[in-house]
Amino acid sequence: MSLEIAFIGYGEVGQIFSRQLAGKRGVGIRVYDILFDDLAKGPELRRRASEAGIHAADGPADACRGADIVISAVTADSAVAAAEQVAPHLHPSQIYVDLNSVSPATKERVAKPVRDRGAAFVEFAVMAPVKEPGLAVPILSGGERAEEVSARLNDLGMRITPVSTGIGTASATKLCRSIVIKGMEALMVDFTLASEKAGVMPAVLASLTASYPGMDWESLARTMMSRVRQHGIRRAAEMREASRMIDELGLDGSLASAIADRHESFAKAGKT
């Protein structure tokens, strides 16, 4: 099999997926990130790509040239802008995949410039952290060509399950899950900070363990705080999309918005 894949966005997910796919026979990988043009960060990112046998593109046009599949792996708040920047360089034979965690309505906004160029649009929803499983992380897909692109990538070791020929089902599933996971992470941040400052952590942990004996609350709090500290700003953007989705459903998205604020504030505090 011969397959050319372009990644737009070379952050954690883009680096893991592109590096592992580049090791597959018959697969060519090109990547582009706006930080490639940054004098301070660009050289290091380009070096990582080169060492992984990946072509570091000079821009969206260079990245998309010859690609069968173009995968957007930016951030939730950049998904629309990335599609608008890339769309002029797409042609009808290409498939544009957006795997960013955004609301169904935002996915449609991402899809519009892609479809206007005649290219196909497919949504991905990544259903778990990518770092450990890598390509094997569970992903849901949607769109008219979701089954086709999922089959091609599953042959390379991915675990993609098509759930709809329309756009929105996969992203709604992901964001509803994120309300729970990101909400728990925000709770663990405030629980840990407050109980430690009040000097009651051992007593609270003992009480939680008695109520829910199957959970390791101390480990959970430590792990979740670390995740928020490291990824909170990106996850805040995702939770704002969850809030937007809830509002679009005619419900109250204020809790998801507050979760976003807590992730962002804790992450920023950890970087100062």
Side-chain angles (χ1 to χ4, degrees):
M1 179 180 69
S2 177
L3 185 64
E4 294 293 324
I5 303 173
F7 280 88
I8 306 300
Y10 197 53
E12 180 183 39
V13 173
Q15 289 183 38
I16 291 173
F17 281 3
S18 62
R19 183 178 66 251
Q20 293 183 4
L21 286 169
K24 306 291 184 178
R25 176 179 292 184
V27 178
I29 303 292
R30 306 167 78 88
V31 299
Y32 174 69
D33 193 294
I34 58 172
L35 289 179
F36 282 0
D37 303 321
D38 184 278
L39 294 178
K41 300 178 180 179
E44 170 61 18
L45 288 174
R46 288 177 177 275
R47 182 190 63 78
R48 290 182 194 173
S50 177
E51 289 182 350
I54 296 167
H55 173 73
D58 293 328
D62 186 26
C64 295
R65 189 176 298 115
D68 300 295
I69 301 170
V70 178
I71 300 177
S72 173
V74 288
T75 56
D77 53 0
S78 299
V80 174
E84 291 173 343
Q85 185 180 25
V86 172
H89 311 292
L90 298 175
H91 54 75
S93 67
Q94 293 176 309
I95 300 174
Y96 185 93
V97 175
D98 183 277
L99 58 70
N100 303 294
S101 297
V102 297
S103 74
T106 301
K107 287 283 187 182
E108 290 290 352
R109 290 176 58 206
V110 173
K112 186 180 186 307
V114 174
R115 289 169 171 159
D116 286 347
R117 290 289 296 179
F121 179 81
V122 172
E123 69 166 339
F124 277 6
V126 182
M127 299 301 291
V130 172
K131 187 175 181 179
E132 295 302 324
L135 287 179
V137 67
I139 296 175
L140 305 182
S141 65
E144 292 182 359
R145 297 179 69 179
E147 286 198 15
E148 173 193 341
V149 74
S150 299
R152 296 187 77 178
L153 294 176
N154 284 346
D155 285 343
L156 298 173
M158 297 189 77
R159 291 179 55 202
I160 308 166
T161 303
V163 294
S164 174
T165 57
I167 301 301
T169 300
S171 56
T173 304
K174 165 62 184 291
L175 289 181
C176 285
R177 177 187 185 276
S178 291
I179 294 168
V180 177
I181 301 301
K182 273 64 175 184
M184 287 183 65
E185 290 173 344
L187 288 173
M188 289 299 102
V189 168
D190 280 2
F191 147 66
T192 301
L193 295 176
S195 60
E196 285 183 342
K197 191 160 188 177
V200 297
M201 173 71 88
V204 177
L205 288 173
S207 177
L208 288 171
T209 300
S211 297
Y212 302 93
M215 298 182 70
D216 185 343
W217 288 96
E218 184 174 9
S219 176
L220 185 67
R222 183 169 56 250
T223 298
M224 287 190 164
M225 283 191 70
S226 175
R227 289 176 181 172
V228 177
R229 183 178 289 110
Q230 184 176 0
H231 303 295
I233 294 175
R234 173 172 57 81
R235 293 183 178 197
E238 178 181 328
M239 287 312 298
R240 292 194 174 98
E241 286 294 325
S243 177
R244 183 174 291 112
M245 177 190 71
I246 296 169
D247 287 339
E248 290 163 355
L249 292 170
L251 303 172
D252 182 0
S254 58
L255 176 59
S257 181
I259 292 170
D261 291 342
R262 193 66 189 99
H263 274 255
E264 185 173 71
S265 64
F266 185 69
K268 286 184 175 179
K271 298 181 188 304
T272 58

